[in-house]
Amino acid sequence: MTKVAPSMLSCDFSKLGYEIERVEKAGADYIHPERYVEDFRKAGADIITVHAEATNHLDRLVHQIKATGAMAGVSINPATPLSAVEEVLGIADLLLLMTVNPGFGGQSYIDSVTDKIRRAADVRRRRGLDFLIEVDGGINAETGRKAAEAGADILVAGSYVFKSEDAAKAISSLRF
C-alpha cells in the first residue's frame, strides 16, 4: 500500500503546529519538509533527502546522511535523467522523483515522469535493491494512482491534502 506524505509547502505556516497535527490525525505517514534538513534531523527526522542537482559529491553526502543514523534519500527533477543517481541507488534508502519543477505548490503533474517511475522500479527489481520510490508534485487521486501503478511507494501531496476540506478523505484516496 502506498504511503502518503503531505508537503508542508502547502500548509498555513501561521498555524504550523495545528497543520501538522491535523494531517497526522488524518492518517499521514510522513511529513515532507523541504528545508532545514539539519534542524529536522536534530529534532528527530528519520529520512533526509537531497537533490542530486544540489551537490557535486552525491555519494559522499549519502554516506554522510547515513552516518547520522537517518535514512538517505536522493531526489531528481523532472528533466534530470535517472542515470544521474543510478550509482548511488545501491546505498540510498529512497529515490524521490519530482513530478513537477520544484518551487511552489499547486502545479500540474508532469506526465512524462511516469515512465521514469517505471524505469526506476525496473532498476530496483533488476538489481535486487530495496530503495523506496517517492514522487512529489501534482499528486491527487488520479495522478497518485498512475504513479503508484508505475511503482511509486510514497506519494507527496501538498495542495491536494492541505486545501481539501477533509484531509482524511484526501489521504485515504491516495492509498492504492
Side-chain angles (χ1 to χ4, degrees):
M1 178 184 299
T2 54
K3 296 198 180 288
V4 179
S7 175
M8 299 310 294
L9 183 64
S10 297
C11 79
D12 180 346
F13 282 95
S14 69
K15 304 179 200 171
L16 187 59
Y18 165 78
E19 292 281 54
I20 291 171
E21 183 179 334
R22 179 170 75 99
V23 295
E24 284 179 338
K25 285 182 180 175
D29 297 293
Y30 306 114
I31 302 296
H32 189 79
E34 77 169 61
R35 294 186 287 185
Y36 313 113
V37 170
E38 191 172 311
D39 293 334
F40 277 102
R41 179 61 188 142
K42 287 178 183 173
D46 297 322
I47 304 170
I48 299 174
T49 302
V50 295
H51 273 268
E53 299 90 350
T55 181
N56 291 324
H57 305 288
L58 187 58
D59 181 81
R60 179 176 20 186
L61 188 52
V62 169
H63 279 94
Q64 182 180 354
I65 292 167
K66 291 181 77 75
T68 71
M71 290 174 62
V74 295
S75 176
I76 55 176
N77 290 327
T80 302
L82 189 58
S83 61
V85 294
E86 280 195 71
E87 298 304 319
V88 298
L89 292 179
I91 57 171
D93 300 296
L94 179 140
L95 171 63
L96 170 57
L97 300 174
M98 294 300 300
T99 49
V100 298
N101 290 300
F104 61 93
Q107 296 182 62
S108 296
Y109 180 91
I110 298 174
D111 200 53
S112 62
V113 180
T114 304
D115 184 56
K116 190 186 292 186
I117 299 166
R118 280 189 198 94
R119 287 184 282 122
D122 186 55
V123 166
R124 177 173 60 183
R125 183 190 49 75
R126 282 187 294 107
R127 291 178 54 191
L129 303 175
D130 62 358
F131 61 87
L132 296 168
I133 298 173
E134 179 176 26
V135 294
D136 181 0
I139 299 297
N140 55 40
E142 178 186 337
T143 58
R145 176 172 299 284
K146 187 181 299 187
E149 288 174 352
D153 304 297
I154 302 170
L155 307 173
V156 176
S159 299
Y160 184 68
V161 172
F162 283 102
K163 306 270 189 249
S164 169
E165 292 196 21
D166 186 341
K169 184 176 179 181
I171 289 171
S172 178
S173 75
L174 296 173
R175 305 240 187 243
F176 305 103

